[in-house]
Amino acid sequence: MARGEDLVTSSHDPESSARPDPWSRRSGDGGELAEPAEPAVSEALEAGFTHRYGGHGTGFAAGGPLDVMLPGPDLAWHAGAARQRGLGALSDDELIGVLGGARRLSSWSAELELAAVAELDARRAGPDGREGEHVAEEITAALTLTGRSADALLELSRRLGRLPQTQALLAAGVIDRSRAAVIADQLGILSDADAAAVEERIAPRAGGMTTGQLRAACQRAVLAHDPQAAARRREKAEKDARVECWAEPAGTGAIAGRDLNLAAVIAADKHLDAAARWLKQHGAPGTMDQLRAQVFLARLTGQPLPALLPRPAGPAEPGSLDPATPAGPASPGPATPAGPNPAAPAGPGSWVAGPGGLAGSVNLIMPASAWLGLCDAPGEVAGTGAADAATCRDLATALAGHAGSRWCLTLTDHVGRAVAHGCAQAGPGPPGPSATADPRSWLARIAISPIETGPCTHRRESAGYQPAPSLRHLIKIRSPRCGFPGCRRPAACSDDDHTIPYHQGGRTCECNLYPLCRRHHQAKQVPGWHLSQPEPGRLAWTLPSGRTYTMAPEPYPG
């Protein structure tokens, strides 16, 4: 008998038509959970299943043996064989069966991954049961994850460790990883005993809900079991309040406040609506979403609301108030006087610096030819990421108008590696007819020196433990992010680590310094971890597993 025939025969249960359906829904309750009861017709289906048990199809067709097969090596073999033969040869019914099988295999694979993470976590635990240190860092290097993703994976494995029913449903393909994560997250605020009690109510219905339905059902079940749970979750989250910014794939940027007070967030949202409506009423072009975004940036950069209008505003009209300050008995007039606005933006999406120009320090790195307008090669804003040439030129213009801006020039090779660098005492000045505003003559006055990329000459070595400011600056230019695989922490927010510790004879030099965030700086010092720098700017990490991971500075755009 062929392998495929044997597997199909062995996996088919001839008594499946008599198998009761354990998943029942209370009719008319909008998705409320019901305790397992006598067999009933199911309105919801498990993840990856598109039929009721007991069908009489063949192969992957509805009710066929492969359509009901539990995930594992056998189902993977058959799914792979169907893929190799060509999905175009399948009927629509069979194709849906393969789709469901692939989803069950994905759930099975996710549970295997989480189980492996849990086993590694257990092996790194202390003899007294304390959680192991820096397990997430090992996962980060092994799976090429960000630190946040590795933390989330480790946390999910730990939470599922006390939810055996949820873990079993994931392994069986009844729920997928997203739904397992919803259950684990929502029950994470409860004690082990309380979590087990709520899981008893949640698990029987989990496979028949979307993640949104499941989250709502979990929240109701948790509150019914422990009315104070929501308050504890909110208080815990608000302690992690923060503002994050990042570059979007489209070349735009994003800034967001996370884990903020909900009432304050709702009030802020309504404030943006009111301000956007005010702009719309006064002739500002754009959709409400575009206007809300402009108001958001204007408030953060200190621009008055009338500055967003497309033309110079005349005398204030009755009732034309800047909604930043509510009108009322205590505030009878306009919050911001309307007047000439020579810097008014041309339309939605444009940007100008706020009062006083661009404040703070922005390390802008871009090809000189792009800055001069000779090409459109991209550049980079340190700590944020790649930026198109137009954005870099806008920032460079804003920096030129601010006396406290720091100006540097970094040269890169064909693969984007920093190979030379120079700094200027002052920028070229704001655009204009003066000689100081000529970027070409300004560039010619900058002294450029090479960055060590091979055998180190130690020309910039500092005598003591602390690197000289010029060396510290150069190291962060050469290596703009933390030197641990996958870590995106900017070098400006990281420690200047001696790869070979200074007290063990390590040099304070380009060949022995590399930025490490505090988390990975501490990990490096744990027994079983080893770090070397075979050449300036290239690290080799050896982790407790014995595996070695090499790391080079992230290349600049080119």
Side-chain angles (χ1 to χ4, degrees):
M1 182 177 293
R3 170 178 167 82
E5 295 173 345
D6 177 65
L7 290 175
V8 171
T9 303
S10 63
S11 65
H12 180 57
D13 181 1
E15 297 179 2
S16 61
S17 59
R19 182 183 298 152
D21 188 347
W23 319 114
S24 59
R25 179 185 294 275
R26 183 184 302 160
S27 61
D29 62 2
E32 293 290 342
L33 298 174
E35 297 294 336
E38 59 186 3
V41 175
S42 173
E43 298 176 8
L45 304 172
E46 299 96 313
F49 290 89
T50 58
H51 62 280
R52 281 186 46 76
Y53 292 116
H56 300 289
T58 59
F60 280 107
L66 300 180
D67 198 34
V68 301
M69 182 180 286
L70 292 174
D74 289 351
L75 180 60
W77 188 91
H78 284 286
R83 179 71 177 88
Q84 189 173 23
R85 289 193 297 268
L87 299 180
L90 300 175
S91 67
D92 287 1
D93 184 11
E94 292 169 324
L95 184 62
I96 294 299
V98 170
L99 181 62
R103 175 51 63 97
R104 298 198 301 280
L105 287 169
S106 176
S107 298
W108 176 73
S109 176
E111 194 280 332
L112 175 60
E113 180 183 58
L114 288 163
V117 168
E119 176 63 24
L120 180 65
D121 191 26
R123 294 184 183 189
R124 299 291 182 263
D128 57 354
R130 287 182 295 106
E131 292 179 347
E133 292 184 328
H134 304 294
V135 180
E137 281 68 40
E138 290 195 68
I139 297 170
T140 294
L143 302 183
T144 317
L145 299 177
T146 64
R148 183 168 297 174
S149 295
D151 285 338
L153 182 62
L154 179 59
E155 183 64 19
L156 180 56
S157 73
R158 287 172 174 173
R159 289 179 172 179
L160 284 181
R162 62 180 195 148
L163 300 173
Q165 292 188 58
T166 303
Q167 196 167 6
L169 292 175
L170 181 62
V174 174
I175 61 174
D176 55 21
R177 176 173 169 167
S178 296
R179 278 175 275 196
V182 167
I183 297 174
D185 177 63
Q186 294 297 319
L187 275 58
I189 199 68
L190 301 175
S191 66
D192 289 354
D194 289 342
V198 173
E199 186 189 28
E200 285 288 339
R201 295 190 58 203
I202 294 293
R205 298 300 306 144
M209 298 182 187
T210 65
T211 52
Q213 292 170 331
L214 183 58
R215 183 175 291 106
C218 287
Q219 289 171 348
R220 292 193 297 269
V222 168
L223 287 176
H225 188 85
D226 182 356
Q228 300 303 315
R232 293 199 305 273
R233 177 185 293 275
R234 183 179 64 254
E235 292 170 0
K236 181 177 182 294
E238 286 182 355
K239 293 179 180 178
D240 295 327
R242 62 203 180 276
V243 175
E244 299 174 348
C245 62
W246 62 94
E248 298 278 27
T252 54
I255 183 168
R258 311 300 292 269
D259 287 318
L260 308 180
N261 179 273
L262 180 58
V265 167
I266 294 172
D269 183 64
K270 299 302 181 185
H271 180 93
L272 290 176
D273 276 344
R277 284 195 298 271
W278 184 89
L279 287 174
K280 177 69 79 173
Q281 291 166 2
H282 287 76
T287 65
M288 282 296 290
D289 281 343
Q290 290 172 332
L291 293 175
R292 278 168 52 90
Q294 290 186 54
V295 172
F296 180 68
L297 286 178
R299 295 307 188 205
L300 292 179
T301 55
Q303 295 184 71
L305 200 59
L308 299 179
L309 295 175
R311 56 186 178 274
E317 302 174 4
S320 60
L321 306 181
D322 180 343
T325 303
S331 54
T336 304
N341 180 25
S350 58
W351 176 85
V352 294
L358 184 64
S361 176
V362 177
N363 187 10
L364 178 63
I365 301 158
M366 65 183 302
S369 56
W371 179 49
L372 295 172
L374 303 178
C375 71
D376 285 327
E380 176 164 312
V381 180
T384 301
D388 61 82
T391 298
C392 287
R393 282 193 287 267
D394 286 347
L395 282 171
T397 299
L399 286 166
H402 197 276
S405 299
R406 184 171 192 176
W407 286 83
C408 300
L409 180 66
T410 301
L411 303 181
T412 61
D413 62 13
H414 67 287
V415 295
R417 179 176 57 174
V419 294
H421 183 75
C423 294
Q425 294 296 324
S434 66
T436 59
D438 179 11
R440 292 174 177 82
S441 62
W442 174 79
L443 283 173
R445 296 195 299 270
I446 300 179
I448 304 295
S449 59
I451 295 174
E452 301 284 7
T453 56
C456 188
T457 61
H458 313 301
R459 75 183 75 186
R460 297 187 181 91
E461 182 176 4
S462 296
Y465 172 76
Q466 293 291 344
S470 59
L471 176 58
R472 190 189 305 272
H473 173 63
L474 190 73
I475 292 297
K476 295 182 187 300
I477 291 294
R478 179 201 69 187
S479 309
R481 298 189 184 276
C482 169
F484 189 77
C487 185
R488 303 279 297 166
R489 186 77 171 172
C493 304
S494 301
D495 299 336
D496 297 306
D497 175 64
H498 288 73
T499 304
I500 299 174
Y502 180 77
H503 68 274
Q504 295 179 11
R507 294 175 178 266
T508 304
C509 184
E510 287 177 69
C511 59
N512 194 51
L513 290 173
Y514 206 108
L516 294 183
C517 71
R518 184 58 54 86
R519 175 174 177 172
H520 295 121
H521 192 174
Q522 292 173 341
K524 169 207 170 187
Q525 300 169 8
V526 173
W529 289 65
H530 178 72
L531 178 62
S532 63
Q533 191 168 172
E535 61 182 66
R538 185 174 298 274
L539 298 180
W541 292 82
T542 302
L543 274 54
S545 64
R547 298 196 178 203
T548 297
Y549 304 89
T550 59
M551 180 69 184
E554 183 175 322
Y556 287 110

